[in-house]
Amino acid sequence: GESVGLHLPTLSVQEGDNSIINCAYSNSASDYFIWYKQESGKGPQFIIDIRSNMDKRQGQRVTVLLNKTVKHLSLQIAATQPGDSAVYFCAEISGTGNQFYFGTGTSLTVIP
Amino acid sequence: NAGVTQTPKFRVLKTGQSMTLLCAQDMNHEYMYWYRQDPGMGLRLIHYSVGEGTTAKGEVPDGYNVSRLKKQNFLLGLESAAPSQTSVYFCASSYLGPQHFGDGTRLSIL
């Protein structure tokens, strides 16, 4: 099976600082990656995605970096706010393109 | 926009009872999925569907059945509930892009 994992289960940052959440994947054939945010009591919410033909993609206050050489994915959140406190998952898709594989998540806590 | 709607939001069952969880999406997505989420284990795929009238097994299908009679609906059934099926169940839909999730059904089996 696929293996999608996160380096750190928890992360605490000061409000206003930048946050970096990391993810490792094992299938070199994976060609689509997604970051999700999950708040307590809610379902995962799409943040940003990236395809394997790209190394970097930016959104509003978020940037995803993909390093295919070491099979590593990261999510950078600029000027972290209290509302960013949540669990963040990475997901990869490969093969026939309709099954996603999820990591266990990193819990981000923003300290006011 | 409703997106993906799951009903019910909470349910408590006794061992051996049966029930059906309903998922509805209004985005005209072809693909729909059922996951369970347990502490420390992430999302695990139970069953999925790539179109109306089709279903397929995921990673943890035992004890569950599904049906996709209409494109917008995906039903998850528990025939004889067991305590090991206590979990949070998420439905998702997608088509050529990220999955969109509902807010989950919290199911406890006593």
Side-chain angles (χ1 to χ4, degrees):
Chain A
E2 304 295 333
S3 174
V4 180
L6 295 166
H7 294 311
L8 295 173
T10 62
L11 177 65
S12 295
V13 299
Q14 290 290 141
E15 181 178 357
D17 287 351
N18 296 334
S19 302
I20 300 176
I21 300 172
N22 297 303
C23 180
Y25 63 96
S26 60
N27 188 351
S28 57
S30 294
D31 57 5
Y32 182 46
F33 303 87
I34 304 169
W35 279 102
Y36 287 93
K37 173 186 179 182
Q38 186 175 22
E39 297 174 285
S40 181
K42 295 189 176 181
Q45 178 185 6
F46 168 78
I47 302 173
I48 192 168
D49 58 1
I50 188 168
R51 298 203 178 265
S52 58
N53 60 353
M54 302 174 67
D55 296 323
K56 179 180 179 179
R57 192 171 187 206
Q58 290 183 294
Q60 187 177 11
R61 284 200 306 116
V62 294
T63 300
V64 55
L65 299 177
L66 176 62
N67 186 329
K68 296 179 286 292
T69 301
V70 295
K71 290 183 284 189
H72 183 267
L73 190 70
S74 68
L75 176 70
Q76 300 178 0
I77 304 173
T80 313
Q81 303 169 358
D84 295 328
S85 292
V87 175
Y88 290 81
F89 298 92
C90 63
E92 63 172 314
I93 185 168
S94 60
T96 57
N98 55 31
Q99 289 198 45
F100 290 75
Y101 299 91
F102 294 87
T104 54
T106 290
S107 178
L108 174 66
T109 301
V110 181
I111 303 167
Chain B
N1 289 334
V4 178
T5 303
Q6 293 183 233
T7 54
K9 296 187 185 303
F10 304 93
R11 186 72 184 268
V12 178
L13 292 177
K14 294 182 180 179
T15 298
Q17 287 184 317
S18 63
M19 80 162 294
T20 300
L21 281 63
L22 173 64
C23 176
Q25 54 98 1
D26 62 2
M27 296 170 283
N28 203 36
H29 285 164
E30 290 293 333
Y31 306 153
M32 295 188 74
Y33 311 79
W34 275 107
Y35 293 92
R36 60 179 290 172
Q37 186 177 44
D38 301 295
M41 299 189 74
L43 289 162
R44 292 186 292 169
L45 183 64
I46 303 171
H47 286 279
Y48 65 100
S49 168
V50 298
E52 181 178 322
T54 71
T55 63
K57 294 180 179 180
E59 180 185 357
V60 288
D62 294 342
Y64 305 95
N65 58 74
V66 289
S67 64
R68 183 101 180 268
L69 299 179
K70 294 183 178 180
K71 186 177 183 178
Q72 64 268 32
N73 295 336
F74 196 28
L75 279 62
L76 177 70
L78 282 72
E79 299 170 338
S80 179
S84 62
Q85 294 177 304
T86 293
S87 188
V88 181
Y89 292 85
F90 287 101
C91 176
S93 71
S94 73
Y95 189 59
L96 302 181
Q99 293 183 348
H100 297 263
F101 287 84
D103 280 337
T105 294
R106 283 145 188 82
L107 185 61
S108 294
I109 316 298
L110 303 179

Coordinates of all heavy atoms in Angstrom, one line a residue, chain B residues 5-7 20-25 31-35 45-51 54-56 65-77 90-93:
Chain B
T5 N -23.2 16.8 1.9 CA -24.0 16.8 3.1 C -24.2 15.4 3.6 O -24.5 14.5 2.8 CB -25.4 17.4 2.8 OG1 -25.3 18.7 2.3 CG2 -26.2 17.4 4.1
Q6 N -23.9 15.2 4.9 CA -24.0 13.9 5.5 C -25.1 13.9 6.5 O -25.2 14.8 7.3 CB -22.7 13.5 6.2 CG -21.5 13.2 5.2 CD -20.3 12.8 5.9 OE1 -19.2 13.3 5.8 NE2 -20.4 11.7 6.7
T7 N -25.9 12.8 6.6 CA -26.9 12.6 7.6 C -26.9 11.2 8.1 O -26.7 10.3 7.2 CB -28.3 13.0 7.1 OG1 -28.6 12.2 5.9 CG2 -28.4 14.5 6.8
T20 N -28.1 3.0 8.0 CA -27.6 3.5 6.8 C -27.2 5.0 7.0 O -28.0 5.8 7.5 CB -28.6 3.4 5.7 OG1 -29.0 2.0 5.5 CG2 -28.1 4.0 4.4
L21 N -26.0 5.3 6.5 CA -25.5 6.7 6.5 C -25.7 7.2 5.1 O -25.4 6.6 4.1 CB -24.0 6.8 6.9 CG -23.7 6.7 8.3 CD1 -24.1 5.4 8.9 CD2 -22.2 7.0 8.5
L22 N -26.2 8.4 5.0 CA -26.5 9.0 3.7 C -25.5 10.2 3.4 O -25.2 11.0 4.2 CB -27.9 9.6 3.7 CG -28.3 10.4 2.4 CD1 -28.3 9.5 1.2 CD2 -29.7 11.0 2.6
C23 N -25.1 10.2 2.1 CA -24.2 11.3 1.7 C -24.8 11.8 0.4 O -25.2 11.0 -0.5 CB -22.8 10.7 1.4 SG -21.7 12.0 0.7
A24 N -24.9 13.1 0.3 CA -25.5 13.8 -0.9 C -24.5 14.9 -1.3 O -24.0 15.6 -0.5 CB -26.9 14.3 -0.6
Q25 N -24.3 15.0 -2.6 CA -23.4 16.1 -3.2 C -24.1 16.7 -4.3 O -24.8 16.1 -5.1 CB -22.0 15.5 -3.6 CG -22.1 14.4 -4.6 CD -21.9 14.7 -6.0 OE1 -21.7 15.9 -6.4 NE2 -21.9 13.7 -6.9
Y31 N -17.1 10.8 -8.8 CA -16.5 10.0 -7.8 C -17.0 10.3 -6.4 O -17.1 11.5 -6.1 CB -15.0 10.1 -7.8 CG -14.3 9.9 -9.1 CD1 -13.1 10.5 -9.4 CD2 -14.9 9.1 -10.1 CE1 -12.4 10.3 -10.6 CE2 -14.2 8.9 -11.3 CZ -13.0 9.5 -11.6 OH -12.4 9.3 -12.8
M32 N -17.4 9.3 -5.7 CA -17.7 9.5 -4.3 C -17.1 8.4 -3.4 O -16.8 7.3 -3.9 CB -19.3 9.4 -4.1 CG -20.0 10.6 -4.8 SD -21.7 10.7 -4.5 CE -21.7 11.3 -2.8
Y33 N -16.8 8.8 -2.2 CA -16.0 7.9 -1.3 C -16.6 7.9 0.1 O -17.2 8.9 0.6 CB -14.6 8.5 -1.2 CG -13.9 8.9 -2.5 CD1 -14.2 10.1 -3.1 CD2 -13.0 8.0 -3.0 CE1 -13.6 10.4 -4.3 CE2 -12.3 8.4 -4.2 CZ -12.6 9.6 -4.8 OH -12.0 9.9 -6.0
W34 N -16.4 6.8 0.8 CA -16.6 6.7 2.3 C -15.3 6.4 3.0 O -14.7 5.4 2.6 CB -17.7 5.7 2.6 CG -19.1 6.2 2.4 CD1 -20.0 5.9 1.5 CD2 -19.8 7.1 3.4 NE1 -21.2 6.5 1.7 CE2 -21.1 7.2 2.8 CE3 -19.4 7.7 4.5 CZ2 -22.0 8.0 3.5 CZ3 -20.3 8.5 5.2 CH2 -21.6 8.7 4.6
Y35 N -15.0 7.2 4.0 CA -13.9 7.0 4.8 C -14.3 6.8 6.3 O -15.3 7.4 6.7 CB -12.9 8.2 4.8 CG -12.2 8.4 3.5 CD1 -12.8 9.3 2.5 CD2 -11.0 7.9 3.2 CE1 -12.2 9.5 1.3 CE2 -10.4 8.1 1.9 CZ -11.0 9.0 1.0 OH -10.4 9.2 -0.2
L45 N -10.0 4.4 3.6 CA -11.1 4.3 2.6 C -11.8 3.0 2.8 O -11.3 1.9 2.9 CB -10.4 4.3 1.2 CG -11.4 4.2 0.0 CD1 -12.3 5.5 0.0 CD2 -10.6 4.1 -1.3
I46 N -13.2 3.1 2.9 CA -14.0 2.0 3.1 C -14.5 1.4 1.7 O -14.2 0.3 1.4 CB -15.2 2.3 4.0 CG1 -14.8 2.9 5.3 CG2 -16.1 1.1 4.2 CD1 -15.9 3.5 6.1
H47 N -15.2 2.2 1.0 CA -15.7 1.9 -0.3 C -15.7 3.2 -1.2 O -15.7 4.3 -0.6 CB -17.1 1.4 -0.3 CG -17.3 0.0 0.2 ND1 -17.1 -1.1 -0.6 CD2 -17.7 -0.5 1.4 CE1 -17.3 -2.2 0.1 NE2 -17.7 -1.8 1.4
Y48 N -15.7 3.0 -2.5 CA -15.8 4.2 -3.3 C -16.6 3.9 -4.5 O -16.9 2.7 -4.8 CB -14.4 4.8 -3.7 CG -13.6 3.9 -4.5 CD1 -13.5 4.1 -5.9 CD2 -12.8 2.9 -3.9 CE1 -12.7 3.3 -6.7 CE2 -12.0 2.0 -4.7 CZ -11.9 2.3 -6.1 OH -11.2 1.5 -6.8
S49 N -17.0 4.9 -5.3 CA -17.7 4.8 -6.5 C -17.2 5.7 -7.6 O -17.0 6.9 -7.3 CB -19.2 5.1 -6.2 OG -20.0 5.2 -7.4
V50 N -17.1 5.2 -8.8 CA -16.6 6.0 -9.9 C -17.7 6.5 -10.8 O -17.5 7.1 -11.9 CB -15.4 5.4 -10.7 CG1 -14.2 5.1 -9.8 CG2 -15.9 4.1 -11.3
G51 N -18.9 6.1 -10.4 CA -20.1 6.6 -11.2 C -21.3 5.9 -10.7 O -21.3 4.9 -10.0
T54 N -22.1 2.0 -9.9 CA -20.8 1.3 -9.6 C -20.3 1.5 -8.2 O -20.4 2.6 -7.7 CB -19.7 1.8 -10.6 OG1 -19.3 3.1 -10.3 CG2 -20.2 1.8 -12.0
T55 N -19.7 0.5 -7.7 CA -19.0 0.6 -6.4 C -17.8 -0.3 -6.4 O -17.7 -1.2 -7.1 CB -19.9 0.2 -5.2 OG1 -20.3 -1.2 -5.3 CG2 -21.2 1.1 -5.1
A56 N -16.9 0.0 -5.5 CA -15.6 -0.8 -5.3 C -15.2 -0.7 -3.9 O -15.5 0.2 -3.2 CB -14.6 -0.2 -6.3
N65 N -21.6 -2.1 3.5 CA -22.0 -2.2 2.1 C -22.4 -0.8 1.6 O -22.7 0.1 2.5 CB -23.2 -3.2 2.0 CG -24.4 -2.8 2.8 OD1 -25.1 -1.8 2.5 ND2 -24.6 -3.5 3.9
V66 N -22.3 -0.6 0.3 CA -22.6 0.7 -0.2 C -23.5 0.6 -1.4 O -23.6 -0.5 -2.0 CB -21.4 1.5 -0.6 CG1 -20.6 2.0 0.6 CG2 -20.5 0.6 -1.6
S67 N -24.2 1.7 -1.8 CA -25.0 1.7 -3.0 C -24.9 3.1 -3.6 O -24.9 4.1 -2.8 CB -26.4 1.3 -2.8 OG -27.1 2.2 -1.9
R68 N -24.9 3.2 -4.9 CA -24.9 4.5 -5.6 C -26.0 4.4 -6.7 O -25.7 4.2 -7.9 CB -23.5 4.7 -6.2 CG -23.4 6.0 -7.0 CD -22.7 7.0 -6.1 NE -22.5 8.3 -6.8 CZ -21.5 8.7 -7.5 NH1 -20.5 7.8 -7.7 NH2 -21.4 9.9 -8.1
L69 N -27.2 4.5 -6.3 CA -28.3 4.4 -7.2 C -28.5 5.7 -8.0 O -29.0 5.7 -9.1 CB -29.6 4.0 -6.5 CG -29.6 2.6 -5.8 CD1 -30.9 2.4 -5.1 CD2 -29.3 1.5 -6.8
K70 N -28.2 6.8 -7.4 CA -28.3 8.1 -8.1 C -26.9 8.7 -8.0 O -26.2 8.6 -7.0 CB -29.3 9.0 -7.4 CG -30.7 8.5 -7.5 CD -31.7 9.5 -6.9 CE -33.1 9.1 -7.0 NZ -34.1 10.1 -6.4
K71 N -26.6 9.5 -9.0 CA -25.2 10.1 -9.1 C -24.9 11.0 -7.8 O -23.8 11.0 -7.4 CB -25.1 11.0 -10.3 CG -23.8 11.6 -10.6 CD -23.8 12.3 -11.9 CE -22.4 12.8 -12.2 NZ -22.4 13.6 -13.5
Q72 N -26.0 11.7 -7.3 CA -25.7 12.6 -6.2 C -25.7 12.0 -4.9 O -25.3 12.6 -3.9 CB -26.8 13.7 -6.3 CG -28.2 13.3 -6.0 CD -28.9 13.0 -7.3 OE1 -28.3 12.5 -8.3 NE2 -30.2 13.2 -7.3
N73 N -26.1 10.7 -4.8 CA -26.1 10.1 -3.4 C -25.2 8.8 -3.3 O -25.1 8.0 -4.3 CB -27.6 9.6 -3.1 CG -28.5 10.8 -3.1 OD1 -28.1 11.9 -2.8 ND2 -29.8 10.6 -3.3
F74 N -24.7 8.7 -2.1 CA -23.8 7.5 -1.9 C -24.2 7.0 -0.5 O -24.0 7.8 0.5 CB -22.4 7.9 -2.0 CG -21.4 6.7 -2.1 CD1 -21.8 5.5 -2.7 CD2 -20.1 6.8 -1.7 CE1 -20.9 4.4 -2.8 CE2 -19.2 5.8 -1.9 CZ -19.6 4.6 -2.4
L75 N -24.7 5.8 -0.3 CA -25.2 5.3 0.9 C -24.2 4.3 1.5 O -23.7 3.4 0.8 CB -26.5 4.6 0.8 CG -27.8 5.5 0.8 CD1 -27.8 6.5 -0.4 CD2 -29.0 4.7 0.7
L76 N -24.0 4.4 2.8 CA -23.1 3.4 3.5 C -23.9 2.7 4.5 O -24.6 3.3 5.4 CB -22.0 4.1 4.2 CG -21.0 3.3 5.0 CD1 -20.2 2.4 4.1 CD2 -20.1 4.1 5.9
G77 N -23.9 1.4 4.4 CA -24.7 0.6 5.3 C -23.9 -0.3 6.2 O -22.8 -0.8 5.8
F90 N -16.6 9.9 7.1 CA -16.6 11.0 6.2 C -16.9 10.5 4.8 O -16.4 9.5 4.3 CB -15.3 11.7 6.2 CG -15.0 12.5 7.5 CD1 -14.2 12.0 8.5 CD2 -15.6 13.8 7.6 CE1 -14.0 12.8 9.6 CE2 -15.4 14.5 8.8 CZ -14.6 14.0 9.8
C91 N -17.8 11.3 4.2 CA -18.1 11.1 2.8 C -17.3 12.2 2.0 O -17.2 13.3 2.5 CB -19.6 11.2 2.5 SG -20.1 11.1 0.8
A92 N -16.9 11.9 0.8 CA -16.2 12.9 -0.1 C -16.6 12.6 -1.5 O -17.1 11.6 -1.9 CB -14.7 12.8 0.1
S93 N -16.5 13.7 -2.3 CA -16.8 13.6 -3.7 C -15.7 14.3 -4.5 O -15.0 15.2 -4.0 CB -18.1 14.1 -4.1 OG -18.2 15.5 -4.0

